[in-house]
Amino acid sequence: MTDTFDPDLLRDRYRSERDKRLRSDANEQYIEIAGQFAHYLDDPYVEVQERAALFDEVQVAIIGGGFGGLLAGARLREAGVEDLRVIEKGGDFGGTWYWNRYPGAACDIESYVYLPLLEEVGFMPSRKYATAPEILQHSRNIANHFRLYENACLSTEVTDLTWDESDRRWIISTNRGDQMRARFVVMANGPLHRPKLPGIPGVERYQGHSFHTSRWDYEYTGGDSTGGLDNLSDKVVGIIGTGATAVQCVPHLGRGAKELFVFQRTPSSIDVRADRLTDPDWAADLQPGWQRRRMDNFNNLVSGIPEAEDLVNDGWTDIIGNLLIRMRRGEGEMTPEGIARTMEMADFEKMEQIRARVEEIVQDPVMAEALKPWYRQFCKRPCFHDDYLPTFNRPNVHLIDTDGKGVQEITERGVVVDGKEYELDCLIYATGFEVGTEYARRAGYEVHGRDGVTLTEKWADGASTFQGFYTRDFPNCFIISVVQSGFSANFPHMLDEQSKHLAYVLDHAQRHDVTLVETSQEAEDAWVQTIIDQAQYNVKFLEACTPGYYNNEGRPADRTVRNGSYGAGSPAFIRVLEQWRAAGDLAGLEFA
Ligand code: NDP
């Protein structure tokens, strides 16, 4: 087979689409949800119960009850840690799946590898792509199974963490007046949990109804996460943003609203989803250890590591499938540069399929053209949906493409694009979450380490850690994040690897009566250097990408090099952790 595309033309097109979206304000274009916008953060799902402030002490405090906190809690319980407390700002466990209940919410990495601890908890998802309520229920089941509700503080937001050197404890302040103490703290805040608003001129002026997708207002729209937004049948609705969230809720808005205006700056790539019910015979045949094997298989394939078999076999693993076919055909040299070139060709082929799919589905040729993504598949979060593109064939749905410029203005009545005002009853922000802002701003609390130094000060020029977990002068504090750590498309997989690693270290601390764990300065410096050295290929790739949160809004080479992930990929990162544990000498850590 010969390719039907011209790689040079595609490279040019990708470059020009990127260039027209580059903005001098980059990440500063977004505004923090605070002050007059603070109501966008209210928890619509729970009535917060009064409780007395806590001044007690625990061995381990875990901040965050999403998959990160749940996995850390589960693996610590397995390691015999009994005295632990999860602190969570939401009214229940679940993290992103607690907050994101918008219509159509579901995972789009297959649930058999995405939902953690399936074998441990004894649960099989009902479908290939589980819906948000099922994932939320699974989160609760994990919390029950590992007794994480015991001693938990829900609807509790940490406001400050301060290290008390005199008795080697962390003092945890919260919005409930608590001042708890903990020997060890695990920060599992989550990477995408602080909603953001676009700093569009006039955003504060809009007088109609509005909300962010992560706090869906079903009281206003009617219906639930399965759809049925009947209250919108006489409403003109606008939605800003066309990322993974919008792709899932737009079909429901299209069905429910009298009229829907979708304001687009950059189209997402929308591949086949092909959701289906779980085959009970297949599930019954699975052998113990199946989930780990399947997760490893998926993670290797999406990281570009060949596997004899593709167990998941979906749109995520397709691109590596294309790559392997090309390599078997003898295309490209077996050098890193040769493989990168072949990978680029496989990517062009994949994206040509994605663009052809738009043309096949969307009847209006102008709209179809505007919905075609012109960038490499992993420049932005790839999306998988079978109803999103057909929604644009509905007569009540209007795509307002801004040709990369974004919404021009928001007025009291609606949204302005190209000088034209679109009057709306309701405006929905599907504008995503803060990435790349200061750690403390995203976390919602500052961390004061030894001698009062703050994490914000220490990381002013970029993060500094050993293995992503520890940062000197912040003893007994463990970070679970993607920064200087492994990044996998299957996020919970990485969280589990980090949690197992953490449980190993804390188990050691517990068995040896350790009161202080801290990285050595040398280990931290060496790790930061590794991150910088490995960033080169990633930065080159990301620089060529259209802006978004994956590339710090078009500026990947800023301090994001240090805030980036382990550049050799998550399988290599997992190996580093495994080898470190196997060596048994806990090199790079100081204990007291
Ligand atoms: P994103 O950050 O991915 O999308 C934000 C959207 O808002 C983009 O389309 C962006 O355009 C648009 N936007 C921002 N400012 C403007 C403006 N001024 N004018 C017009 N449009 C604007 O947020 P999402 O909530 O969609 O997704 C966040 C992440 O959450 C995903 O990447 C994914 O990791 C995760 N997620 C996972 C899901 C799953 O597992 N199924 C489902 C949903 C989300 P532009 O692209 O031009 O910046």
Side-chain angles (χ1 to χ4, degrees), residues 399-414:
L399 177 71
I400 309 300
D401 180 49
T402 64
D403 193 26
K405 292 191 278 293
V407 166
Q408 182 185 341
E409 190 186 347
I410 296 179
T411 65
E412 287 79 2
R413 290 172 305 276

Side-chain angles (χ1 to χ4, degrees), residues 85-227:
R85 163 176 292 156
V86 177
I87 306 169
E88 162 58 48
K89 75 176 170 186
D92 205 340
F93 286 89
T96 198
W97 299 102
Y98 174 85
W99 295 108
N100 287 283
R101 304 186 190 193
Y102 57 81
C107 63
D108 58 10
I109 288 187
E110 74 152 29
S111 44
Y112 318 124
V113 298
Y114 179 80
L115 267 63
L117 302 165
L118 289 179
E119 287 188 83
E120 286 84 345
V121 173
F123 178 65
M124 178 52 67
S126 63
R127 39 195 331 119
K128 188 168 170 73
Y129 300 103
T131 60
E134 186 167 309
I135 304 175
L136 181 57
Q137 187 53 49
H138 181 58
S139 304
R140 292 175 176 139
N141 293 348
I142 294 171
N144 273 317
H145 187 87
F146 292 98
R147 295 179 290 109
L148 300 177
Y149 281 105
E150 287 174 17
N151 214 14
C153 291
L154 303 174
S155 296
T156 302
E157 204 167 345
V158 171
T159 52
D160 183 83
L161 272 190
T162 295
W163 174 246
D164 180 349
E165 181 82 5
S166 62
D167 72 343
R168 294 183 172 168
R169 301 285 195 287
W170 283 99
I171 302 166
I172 306 166
S173 307
T174 77
N175 66 340
R176 310 294 296 269
D178 307 310
Q179 289 247 303
M180 318 158 186
R181 299 170 86 79
R183 171 76 75 195
F184 300 103
V185 165
V186 179
M187 300 199 291
N189 307 315
L192 292 167
H193 80 110
R194 207 173 165 78
K196 68 181 188 226
L197 290 178
I200 298 167
V203 61
E204 72 291 345
R205 298 214 315 265
Y206 182 64
Q207 296 297 312
H209 197 76
S210 66
F211 55 88
H212 187 274
T213 48
S214 67
R215 307 285 192 276
W216 195 273
D217 188 349
Y218 283 109
E219 215 168 291
Y220 180 84
T221 64
D224 57 27
S225 71
T226 63

